[in-house]
């Protein structure tokens, strides 16, 4: 419908009428990691790598350091194993297509794919040592191959596939019975001895073999055979309790001293073996029992057999435990004894069916056995068995001093320890964090995996693991010194919390259920970025900076500040800084914060509030709903941009208000209104800046709308005759329910000043019952005059679902109390209004007229006089169209109906740019419809980069944020997050992926730990001494594994200056030099030819992989060009149609 333009109202969209002013674009696209298959860390540089089921490998480091690598063709490959080669600074990945991918991390920018090695069979295990350049690859047939990471070829050294079969043949030949179990020849784990590179532990399904690499021989074989009557992990009620059994090996870990093995088995037991004794384990236990399940308790066995005889014909109950899936034995620099101090054993699995999911940790005593009485005779190589005193001391050290379980919502699938800086000891030395990969309890299919990070070891272990201070010689005889040290240790242990602190991961690891985008001014931003909280996961490798190729970096300082507020299913609200200023960087001044940058001190934890029964914030479930109670979840978040008050609306009808830096602001714990409850007495975690202040109790049904005024703290004004000047917060909170009820709260009390309930007729002073009780779906606070009341006042616009709006006016009574005494003014609004579709704008400037500090200042300055306030227009938008009226209840200025082909409307906002404003309507088909204000004439239609939208959060700058959910599952967790804008011209370049230098700050690899004796150093000799026969260096292992024909390794292309080196000479030019060719030996030439022929297939595979990666990048570019061409054609067609229409009308 066309309206005659009111000449008294200016066109607010004149500056945005040209189509060239609009350009939709994506600023950042984040794929949340909910399908992780592998984890790895590089302690020397501090990098973290993850592998995804989608065929991607993502690297994380210092702020801004993030890089995504793609596994080459064929598509569908996923990462199975990840590892770092610290000596060469390379990333290794084995996918499920039996291929080894090798990337060089020393190059500037994206790591260079060096090679893709095709392996003959599936890989069961993969391990690399930080002391040499070879990888051990255990194949599915039981063979262990070695790969030279320096020369990029398969080395000739290997361990045959029948190694365990050879052991069983020897046992059978000796006359001993052999217990055959399925998968006994399968390799489940390969670990290099932590202190002797010449010794290799290979865990087969049947047992563990200790191999001497130099001698190519088996030194020890650790096979656990439970004798008749031994309970093992299945207990005395097992049907085969009277038969010998051999549980399958599932996991392996080595004590940091190298003298004890912890072997996990399929029946849920852990056997501790002494390195020097392969005949009998030191101790065999389960997680829930400290008894030795390798020994037979005759009393319990007879009782179980007797009970079985009395219950013939019934099924016997057998104890069932999880297998031990993974073990890690961590040491710490907490002892002056070279054998080490207390250790921590981390155990995945072994839980009983009724146990809650989690990860178990044991604090173990130091392994410091004393010297045996006859040490001179017991240390002969001909007598390798342990002395009884040494064995007893070792057994005593295997009883845990303490235990702790890292609880998770669902089953833990994997874990990764994060060492401080030392990569040795299989990456378990001195860890300070742990990552837990577990199934999501929201996904019953088990396809969603989430990662949680916690501090490690648990705080209850810290007191024992503290580094002891060494007193001076003069203090050894002073008892006060020992007493003070003990007192300091006790006080520090008392100050530690019992639960490990959860650490913050990068944003892509978050499980986001919803979010809201807010624009804040400079003053509010300065307050938000004040005191911070150091709770980030300690990853710090490399540096990153944004390349300013288009000269747009200087414009970032003029961009407004944005705050992103997210919430998850754990009822935790997190704040992030999404301001463009974070991207300002250069090679000399790299990024100091990630983008977006988390603001952990602003975290709001709602779980303790909702789970506290005394607060009554959870509505009572009806008898029908009690069968399947609805879990509490966040419905919406509202943030006051100036006062920074945060209101959270829950799906159960509760509304919780949190205040920023409000230690001094306290409401009365006794509130007369039954709908309200004070939360100022509820404690929060230390250093959190948001504190709960007030809540509206649940029980009135679903909240259909909520709005908070942004008046904030006290206002200094010269209008002393007007008594709206006071200390504290001055806001108003309005909450509407689907039943049609409306509640308005004065936050100064707090006190309810309006109860508009559809069924109650009590307290007529505060209740105004209209004829219709339709649900209110939109609430808007403003400070302006209206046509029927030209005096500026604080007003509330409540719009119902049918398109009728009520305008409530807040006034102050003679007693000084705020109230809404007069009946509301009823006006028409758009039909089927949207919750965010109500805007009050200044009629001259288009600036929003809100109930904020400036609006309150206008009310104070008016002081009851007419004509003082500025004129305004009210825009009401719904699912079918929009209308615009003057002064809220004045003349209609414009009306628009959305085109039927545009799709369903998912969001609407008034966007400001270049001094103008326009109404933008977002549809589920990924289109943005632009309408002028205040006359609502259609200007343009933008096609967003997203083809579909289900939810969108916008702000007045034209920026928007949307989530892409997984269509196959109903988890409600965002799989992808897109941050886009309607004004991408000369703005999108700084948001591109920054340039990364992974070598920045990279230190040197520590030397290989030296062997330590089992007994004190005063005792001469050690069993480990004759096993390893001296210390073997990493270079010697490389020479041993690579063989005599090892070719000359290629030169590194890394330039320490941080720049890419110039193109190297063509290696073929060397072959043309006949003099050099003649000088080379025949042996070297033949070796080079042999190496080239044997490696030809791998080189072709690498070339094919690089080709596939290049084709994938070209495909993405072509898709982008195709989309741009479609947009250009659509714009050309629209312009042609407009020109034709102008000619038809004679313009």
């Amino acid at each position: 419908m066309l309206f005659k333009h009111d000449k008294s109202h200016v066109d607010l969209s004149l500056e945005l009428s040209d189509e060239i002013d609009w350009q939709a674009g994506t600023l950042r696209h984040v794929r949340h990691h909910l399908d992780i298959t592998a984890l790895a860390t590089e302690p020397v540089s501090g990098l973290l790598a993850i592998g995804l089921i989608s065929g991607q490998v993502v690297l994380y480091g210092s702020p801004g350091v993030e890089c995504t690598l793609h596994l080459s063709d064929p598509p569908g490959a996923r990462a199975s194993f990840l590892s770092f080669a610290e000596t060469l600074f390379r990333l290794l990945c084995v996918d499920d297509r039996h291929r080894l991918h090798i990337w060089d991390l020393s190059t500037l920018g994206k790591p260079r794919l060096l090679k893709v090695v095709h392996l003959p069979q599936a890989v069961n295990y993969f391990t690399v040592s930080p002391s040499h350049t070879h990888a051990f690859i255990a194949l599915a047939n039981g063979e262990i191959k070695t790969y030279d990471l320096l020369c990029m070829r398969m080395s000739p050294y290997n361990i045959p596939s029948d190694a365990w079969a050879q052991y069983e043949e020897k046992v059978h030949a000796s006359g001993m019975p052999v217990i055959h179990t399925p998968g006994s020849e399968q390799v489940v784990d390969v670990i290099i001895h932590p202190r002797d590179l010449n010794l290799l532990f290979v865990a087969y399904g049947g047992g563990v073999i200790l191999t001497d690499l130099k001698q190519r021989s088996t030194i020890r074989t650790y096979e656990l055979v439970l004798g008749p009557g031994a309970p093992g992990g299945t207990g005395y009620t097992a049907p085969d309790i009277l038969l010998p059994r051999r549980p399958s090996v599932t996991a392996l870990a080595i004590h940091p001293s190298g003298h004890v093995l912890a072997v996990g088995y399929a029946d849920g037991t852990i056997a501790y073996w002494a390195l020097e004794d392969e005949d009998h384990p030191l101790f065999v236990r389960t997680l829930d029992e400290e008894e030795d399940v390798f020994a037979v308790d005759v009393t319990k066995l007879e009782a179980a057999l007797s009970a079985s005889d009395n219950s013939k014909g019934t099924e016997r109950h057998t104890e069932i435990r999880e297998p031990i899936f993974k073990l890690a034995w961590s040491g710490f620099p907490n002892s002056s004894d070279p054998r080490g101090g207390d250790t921590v054993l981390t155990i995945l699995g072994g839980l009983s069916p009724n146990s809650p999911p989690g990860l178990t940790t044991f604090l173990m005593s130091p392994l410091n056995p004393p010297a045996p009485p006859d040490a001179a005779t017991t240390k002969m190589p001909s007598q390798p068995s342990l002395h009884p005193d040494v064995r007893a001391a070792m057994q005593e050290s295997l009883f845990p001093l303490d235990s702790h379980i890292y609880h998770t919502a669902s089953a833990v699938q994997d874990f990764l320890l994060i060492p401080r800086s030392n990569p040795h000891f299989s990456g378990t030395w001195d860890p300070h964090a742990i990552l837990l990969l577990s199934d999501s309890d929201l996904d019953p299919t088990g396809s969603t995996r989430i990662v949680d990070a916690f501090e490690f070891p648990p705080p209850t272990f810290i007191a024992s693991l503290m580094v002891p201070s060494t007193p001076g010689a003069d203090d050894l005889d002073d008892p006060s010194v020992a007493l003070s040290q003990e007192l300091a240790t006790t006080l520090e242990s008392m100050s530690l919390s019992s639960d490990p602190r959860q650490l913050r991961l990068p944003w892509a690891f978050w499980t986001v259920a919803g979010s809201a985008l807010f624009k804040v001014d400079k003053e509010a931003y300065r307050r938000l970025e004040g005191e911070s909280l150091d709770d980030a996961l300690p990853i710090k490798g490399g540096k990153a900076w944004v390349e300013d190729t288009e000269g747009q970096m200087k414009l970032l300082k003029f961009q407004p500040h944005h705050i992103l507020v997210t919430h998850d299913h754990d009822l935790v609200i997190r704040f992030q800084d999404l301001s463009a200023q974070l991207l300002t960087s250069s090679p000399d001044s790299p990024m100091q914060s990630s983008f977006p940058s988390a603001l952990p001190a602003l975290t709001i934890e709602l779980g303790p509030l909702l789970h506290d029964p005394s607060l009554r914030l959870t509505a009572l479930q009806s008898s029908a709903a009690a069968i399947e109670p609805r879990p509490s979840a966040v419905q919406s978040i509202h943030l006051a941009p100036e006062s920074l008050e945060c209101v959270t609306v829950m799906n159960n009808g509760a509304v919780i208000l949190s205040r920023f830096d409000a230690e001094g602001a306290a409401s009365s714990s006794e509130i007369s209104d039954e709908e309200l409850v004070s939360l100022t007495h509820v404690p929060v975690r230390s250093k959190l800046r948001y504190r709960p202040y007030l809540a509206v109790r649940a029980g009135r049904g679903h909240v259909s709308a909520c709005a908070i005024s942004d008046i904030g703290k006290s206002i200094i004004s010269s209008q002393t005759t007007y008594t709206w000047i006071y200390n504290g917060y001055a806001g108003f909170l309005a909450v509407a329910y689907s039943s049609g009820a409306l509640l308005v709260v004065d936050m100064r009390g707090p006190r309810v000043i309006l109860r508009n309930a559809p069924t109650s007729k009590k307290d007529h002073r505060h209740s105004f019952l209209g004829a219709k009780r339709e649900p209110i779906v939109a609430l808007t606070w403003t400070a302006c005059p209206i046509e029927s009341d030209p005096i500026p006042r604080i007003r509330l616009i409540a719009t119902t679902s049918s398109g009728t709006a009520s305008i409530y006016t807040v006034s102050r009574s003679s007693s000084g109390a705020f109230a809404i005494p007069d009946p509301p003014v009823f006006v028409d609004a758009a039909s089927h209004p949207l919750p965010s579709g109500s805007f009050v704008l200044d009629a001259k400037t288009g600036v929003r007229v809100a109930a904020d500090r400036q609006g309150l200042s206008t009310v104070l300055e008016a002081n009851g006089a007419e004509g003082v306030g500025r004129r305004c227009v009210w825009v009401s938008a719904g699912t079918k169209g929009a209308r615009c009226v003057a002064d809220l209840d004045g003349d209609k200025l414009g009306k628009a109906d959305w085109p039927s082909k545009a799709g369903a409307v998912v969001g609407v906002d008034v966007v400001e740019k270049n001094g103008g404003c326009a109404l933008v309507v977002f549809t589920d088909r990924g289109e943005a419809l632009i309408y002028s204000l205040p006359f609502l004439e259609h200007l343009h239609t933008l096609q967003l980069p997203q083809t579909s939208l289900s939810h969108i959060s916008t702000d007045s700058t034209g920026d928007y944020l949307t989530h892409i959910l997984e269509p196959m599952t109903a988890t409600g967790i965002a799989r992808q997050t897109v941050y886009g804008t309607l004004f991408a011209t000369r703005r999108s370049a700084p948001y591109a992926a920054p340039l990364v230098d992974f070598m920045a700050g990279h230190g040197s690899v520590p030397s290989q730990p030296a062997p330590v004796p089992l007994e004190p150093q005063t005792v001469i000799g050690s069993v480990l001494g004759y096993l390893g026969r001296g210390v073997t260096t990493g270079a010697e292992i490389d020479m041993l594994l690579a063989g005599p024909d090892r070719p000359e390794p290629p030169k590194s292309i890394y330039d320490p200056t941080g720049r890419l080196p110039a193109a190297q000479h063509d290696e073929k030019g060397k072959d043309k030099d006949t003099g050099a060719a003649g000088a080379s030996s025949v042996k070297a030439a033949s070796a080079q030819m042999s190496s080239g022929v044997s490696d030809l297939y791998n080189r072709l595979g690498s070339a094919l992989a690089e080709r596939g990666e290049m084709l994938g990048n070209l495909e993405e570019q072509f898709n982008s060009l195709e989309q741009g061409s479609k947009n250009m054609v659509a714009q050309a067609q629209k312009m042609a149609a407009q020109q034709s229409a102008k000619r038809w009308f004679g313009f």
Side-chain angles (χ1 to χ4, degrees):
M1 183 181 296
L2 298 178
F3 293 90
K4 183 178 180 180
H5 291 180
D6 188 349
K7 296 182 179 180
S8 61
H9 289 82
V10 298
D11 187 358
L12 301 176
S13 305
L14 187 61
E15 297 297 331
L16 299 175
S17 58
D18 294 335
E19 192 169 2
I20 196 176
D21 296 330
W22 303 82
Q23 181 183 353
T26 299
L27 300 179
R28 276 294 171 96
H29 191 169
V30 177
R31 301 180 186 274
H32 295 280
H33 304 321
L34 303 177
D35 55 350
I36 297 177
T37 58
L39 300 165
T41 182
E42 207 281 277
V44 178
S45 61
L47 294 176
L48 173 68
I50 62 170
L52 305 178
I53 197 173
S54 57
Q56 296 175 331
V57 176
V58 188
L59 284 164
Y60 287 95
S62 298
V65 176
E66 179 181 347
C67 183
T68 301
L69 306 173
H70 298 270
L71 299 181
S72 57
D73 291 335
R78 64 176 182 177
S80 300
F81 298 95
L82 277 177
S83 183
F84 287 91
E86 286 87 355
T87 54
L88 301 174
F89 200 44
R90 293 176 181 177
L91 175 64
L92 314 176
C93 174
V94 177
D95 62 19
D96 59 349
R97 303 298 177 89
H98 326 325
R99 299 176 304 174
L100 170 62
H101 303 253
I102 306 174
W103 287 279
D104 183 9
L105 301 180
S106 63
T107 58
L108 186 65
K110 189 174 183 179
R112 184 168 62 98
L113 179 63
L114 297 178
K115 201 167 198 178
V116 178
V117 183
H118 293 259
L119 302 173
Q121 290 190 3
V123 177
N124 280 14
Y125 203 80
F126 182 85
T127 186
V128 183
S129 171
S131 297
H132 56 72
T133 61
H134 271 78
F136 292 93
I137 306 173
L139 302 180
N141 64 348
E143 182 183 9
I144 299 178
K145 288 185 171 293
T146 57
Y147 186 82
D148 192 340
L149 297 171
L150 182 60
C151 298
M152 309 295 290
R153 67 161 197 165
M154 197 70 70
S155 292
Y157 193 100
N158 71 322
I159 298 177
S161 59
D162 60 346
W164 184 257
Q166 293 178 11
Y167 163 75
E168 291 186 338
E169 291 177 0
K170 292 181 180 179
V171 173
H172 181 71
S174 64
M176 298 294 293
V178 177
I179 303 176
H180 296 282
T181 55
S184 61
E185 299 181 4
Q186 294 285 327
V187 179
V188 297
D189 211 337
V190 179
I191 296 181
I192 302 170
H193 192 284
R195 296 182 180 272
D196 192 339
L197 299 175
N198 185 49
L199 302 181
L200 184 70
F201 295 94
V202 182
Y204 295 90
V208 180
I209 289 181
L210 177 60
T211 301
D212 187 317
L213 296 178
K214 289 182 178 180
Q215 302 298 326
R216 291 180 176 265
S217 62
T218 297
I219 302 178
R220 298 274 187 249
T221 301
Y222 308 91
E223 181 186 17
L224 180 65
V225 178
L226 299 174
T234 56
Y236 289 99
T237 58
D240 55 352
I241 185 65
L242 298 179
L243 299 176
R245 290 145 290 149
R246 186 182 69 183
S248 299
V249 175
T250 55
L252 174 66
I254 312 299
H255 188 275
S257 67
H259 287 283
V260 180
L261 293 71
V263 185
Y265 295 91
D267 61 350
T269 58
I270 302 175
Y272 299 97
W273 297 83
L275 179 71
E276 296 82 357
D277 186 3
E278 62 180 332
D279 299 326
H280 302 284
L282 294 172
F283 185 63
V284 183
R285 63 162 299 168
T286 60
L287 293 187
D288 51 354
E289 294 181 5
E290 291 191 357
E291 297 181 358
D292 191 348
V293 297
F294 186 74
V296 180
D297 190 326
V298 178
T299 303
K300 293 183 179 180
L301 177 61
E302 292 179 348
L305 294 177
S306 175
S308 176
D309 294 337
N310 297 332
S311 59
K312 289 184 177 179
T314 61
E315 184 178 358
R316 300 175 62 179
H317 174 70
T318 304
E319 296 182 15
I320 301 177
R321 291 181 174 86
E322 291 179 336
I324 302 296
F325 298 111
K326 188 175 180 179
L327 295 170
W329 211 330
S330 303
F332 301 86
N334 56 357
S335 175
S336 58
D337 193 314
R339 295 171 293 179
D342 293 345
T343 58
V344 176
L345 181 63
T346 306
I347 308 164
L348 174 58
L351 301 174
S352 57
N354 57 350
S355 300
L359 185 77
T360 307
T361 54
F362 286 160
L363 176 63
M364 312 293 284
S365 302
L367 181 64
N368 300 330
D374 49 348
T377 59
T378 57
K379 287 303 172 180
M380 297 298 294
S382 60
Q383 189 180 358
S385 59
L386 292 175
H387 189 279
D389 294 346
V390 176
R391 184 180 182 87
M394 296 180 70
Q395 289 176 332
E396 185 178 355
S397 67
L398 298 176
F399 289 92
L401 300 174
D402 197 358
S403 65
H404 179 84
I405 297 178
Y406 288 86
H407 291 287
T408 56
S410 295
V412 180
Q413 298 295 334
D414 197 2
F415 69 89
L416 175 69
L417 295 174
I418 309 295
R420 295 184 188 274
S421 59
N422 196 323
H424 296 289
F425 303 94
S426 300
T428 63
W429 181 259
D430 193 19
H432 55 164
I434 185 172
L435 300 182
L436 303 183
L437 178 63
S438 60
D439 294 332
S440 173
D441 57 336
L442 303 174
D443 186 2
T445 65
S447 59
T448 302
R449 291 185 175 183
I450 59 177
V451 176
D452 293 306
F454 297 92
E455 63 178 347
F456 191 92
T460 54
F461 296 1
I462 297 296
S464 298
L465 297 174
M466 290 178 181
V467 179
S469 59
T470 303
D474 298 336
D475 300 330
L476 294 176
D477 299 330
D478 190 356
S480 62
V481 175
L483 180 62
S484 61
Q485 291 179 356
E486 183 179 359
L487 180 60
T489 303
T490 304
L491 292 176
E492 187 167 356
S493 62
M494 294 175 59
S495 64
L496 297 172
S497 173
S498 60
D499 294 328
R501 183 168 54 102
Q502 189 166 6
L503 303 179
R504 174 173 43 84
L505 288 160
W507 184 31
F509 290 86
W510 295 12
T511 54
V512 179
S515 63
L517 185 65
F518 299 98
K519 171 193 170 184
V520 296
D521 57 21
K522 293 183 178 180
E523 176 61 24
Y525 180 77
R526 184 189 60 80
R527 294 170 56 199
L528 287 174
E529 67 170 359
E531 183 180 358
S532 183
L533 185 63
D534 185 16
D535 65 343
L537 180 70
I539 50 178
K540 57 183 184 305
K543 67 177 182 179
W545 66 92
V546 177
E547 288 189 298
D548 191 16
T549 57
E550 301 181 11
Q552 300 180 14
M553 189 78 68
K554 58 185 178 182
L555 302 177
L556 295 181
K557 61 182 179 180
F558 301 107
Q559 294 290 333
H561 297 284
H562 293 91
I563 297 297
L564 174 62
V565 185
T566 64
H567 61 87
D568 56 24
H569 293 84
D570 294 330
L571 306 180
V572 178
I573 298 176
R574 295 181 172 89
F575 287 67
Q576 293 190 89
D577 186 359
L578 205 62
S579 302
Q581 290 79 4
L582 298 174
L583 300 172
T584 303
S585 57
S586 65
D588 297 329
S589 178
M591 295 179 63
Q592 300 299 318
S593 301
S594 301
F595 183 84
S597 177
L599 302 172
L602 307 183
T603 302
I604 301 176
E605 299 171 343
L606 302 176
L609 301 177
L610 295 173
H611 298 155
D612 188 348
S614 64
L615 300 178
R616 293 185 295 163
L617 297 182
T618 303
L620 297 177
Q621 299 286 344
S622 61
S623 59
I627 300 176
E628 274 187 37
R630 186 182 181 186
S632 299
V634 176
Q635 177 178 316
S636 61
I637 300 174
H638 307 267
L639 179 68
E642 293 183 354
S643 65
L644 300 178
E645 290 180 317
C646 184
V647 176
T648 307
V649 180
M650 308 301 299
N651 63 344
N652 61 1
V655 179
I656 301 174
L657 184 140
S658 303
R659 283 187 166 171
F660 180 73
D661 286 345
E663 292 90 350
S667 65
S668 174
S669 300
E670 299 295 332
I671 300 179
S672 58
D673 298 310
E674 62 179 5
E675 302 92 342
L676 308 180
V677 56
S678 175
L679 304 177
T680 55
H681 64 285
V682 179
V684 297
R685 285 194 295 118
S686 176
K687 296 184 179 181
L688 291 185
R689 304 179 66 185
Y690 268 103
R691 299 181 179 274
Y693 175 75
L694 181 72
V696 181
R697 288 193 172 103
R700 291 164 183 80
H702 175 76
V703 175
S704 57
C706 180
I708 183 173
S709 65
D710 196 13
I711 295 178
K713 291 187 177 181
S714 59
I715 294 183
I716 306 301
S717 175
S718 59
Q719 302 291 336
T720 55
T721 57
Y722 204 86
T723 55
W724 275 26
I725 301 178
Y726 55 90
N727 294 325
Y729 287 81
F732 299 96
L733 175 66
V735 182
Y737 299 89
S738 56
S739 61
L742 176 63
L743 199 71
V744 179
V745 181
D746 176 15
M747 303 304 299
R748 189 177 59 163
R751 182 176 61 90
V752 176
I753 61 175
L754 175 65
R755 294 183 181 89
N756 191 346
T759 58
S760 176
K761 296 185 179 180
K762 297 179 181 180
D763 197 0
H764 293 282
R765 293 173 298 175
H766 302 286
S767 300
F768 304 97
L769 305 179
K772 296 182 180 179
R773 290 304 172 195
E774 297 175 309
I776 297 173
V777 296
L779 291 171
T780 306
W781 286 102
T782 185
C784 66
I786 60 177
E787 182 75 17
S788 57
D789 182 14
I791 300 176
R793 305 181 190 275
I794 302 294
R795 307 182 193 274
L796 174 66
I797 307 174
T799 309
T800 63
S801 58
S802 63
T804 301
S806 303
I807 304 175
Y808 296 90
T809 301
V810 178
S811 63
R812 182 175 179 274
S813 63
S814 58
S815 61
F818 292 110
I820 304 180
D822 301 323
V825 177
F826 296 98
V827 295
D828 292 332
S831 60
H832 305 285
L834 294 168
S836 59
S838 178
F839 312 94
V840 181
L841 309 175
D842 188 288
K844 292 184 178 180
T845 63
V847 177
R848 302 196 187 195
V849 181
D852 52 12
R853 298 177 185 177
Q854 184 177 359
L856 180 59
S857 177
T858 302
V859 173
L860 294 176
E861 292 175 359
N863 197 19
E866 298 183 5
V868 177
R870 48 188 174 179
R871 297 193 62 184
C872 61
V873 295
W874 175 45
V875 182
S876 175
T879 59
K880 302 297 182 181
R883 10 179 329 123
C884 183
V885 298
D887 297 325
L888 277 67
D889 60 345
D891 297 333
K892 184 190 303 181
L893 300 178
K895 183 177 184 297
D897 296 324
W898 316 139
S900 58
K901 296 182 179 180
V905 176
V906 297
V908 63
D909 208 336
V910 173
V911 174
E912 304 171 3
K913 182 75 171 180
N914 298 332
C917 64
L919 180 67
V920 181
V921 182
F922 298 90
T923 68
D924 61 348
R925 297 182 181 178
E927 292 184 345
L929 311 178
I930 316 299
Y931 289 85
S932 67
L933 291 174
F935 306 117
L936 295 179
E937 296 176 339
H938 181 257
L939 298 178
H940 317 291
T941 298
L942 295 180
Q943 178 60 52
L944 303 180
Q946 297 75 37
T947 57
S948 63
L949 294 175
S950 59
H951 168 78
I952 192 169
S953 177
T954 62
D955 66 5
S956 60
T957 65
D959 289 1
Y960 65 89
L961 193 117
T962 182
H963 300 296
I964 300 176
L965 305 179
E966 178 62 42
M968 302 302 296
T969 59
T971 60
I973 301 177
R975 295 282 174 169
Q976 302 178 40
T977 299
V978 179
Y979 176 41
T981 183
L982 301 178
F983 305 103
T985 304
R986 292 190 56 79
R987 185 185 172 194
S988 58
Y991 290 88
L995 190 63
V996 176
D997 182 8
F998 289 103
M999 283 295 293
H1002 184 268
S1004 59
V1005 178
S1007 59
Q1008 169 68 23
V1012 294
L1014 179 60
E1015 288 102 15
Q1017 290 184 351
T1018 55
V1019 179
I1020 302 176
S1022 169
V1023 177
L1024 182 61
Y1026 87 83
L1027 285 178
R1029 296 188 182 275
V1031 178
T1032 305
T1033 64
E1036 293 175 342
I1037 294 296
D1038 283 328
M1039 294 178 60
L1040 172 67
L1041 302 180
D1045 299 331
R1046 188 184 194 187
E1048 183 180 354
K1051 296 181 180 180
S1052 175
I1053 65 171
Y1054 177 69
D1055 185 357
T1057 60
R1059 293 293 181 266
L1060 288 175
Q1064 296 182 352
H1065 299 291
D1066 189 356
E1067 293 183 1
K1068 294 182 179 180
K1070 298 180 181 180
D1071 298 335
K1072 298 180 181 179
D1073 188 353
T1074 57
S1080 61
S1081 65
V1082 177
K1083 182 179 178 180
S1086 60
Q1088 185 176 3
M1089 292 175 61
S1090 175
S1091 175
V1093 172
S1094 62
D1095 208 29
L1096 177 60
Y1097 179 74
N1098 289 329
R1099 292 203 304 269
L1100 291 176
S1102 301
L1104 181 61
E1106 294 178 359
R1107 175 180 176 272
E1109 187 175 3
M1110 294 174 61
L1111 289 177
N1113 295 334
L1114 287 175
E1115 183 181 2
E1116 295 179 359
Q1117 297 177 6
F1118 281 131
N1119 291 337
S1120 178
L1121 290 174
E1122 181 183 3
Q1123 185 63 40
S1125 301
K1126 289 181 180 179
N1127 295 339
M1128 184 179 299
V1129 172
Q1131 294 177 3
Q1133 291 176 350
K1134 294 175 183 178
M1135 294 179 63
Q1138 294 175 359
Q1139 295 296 331
S1140 300
K1142 291 181 179 180
R1143 288 195 299 269
W1144 191 84
F1145 282 105
F1147 295 152

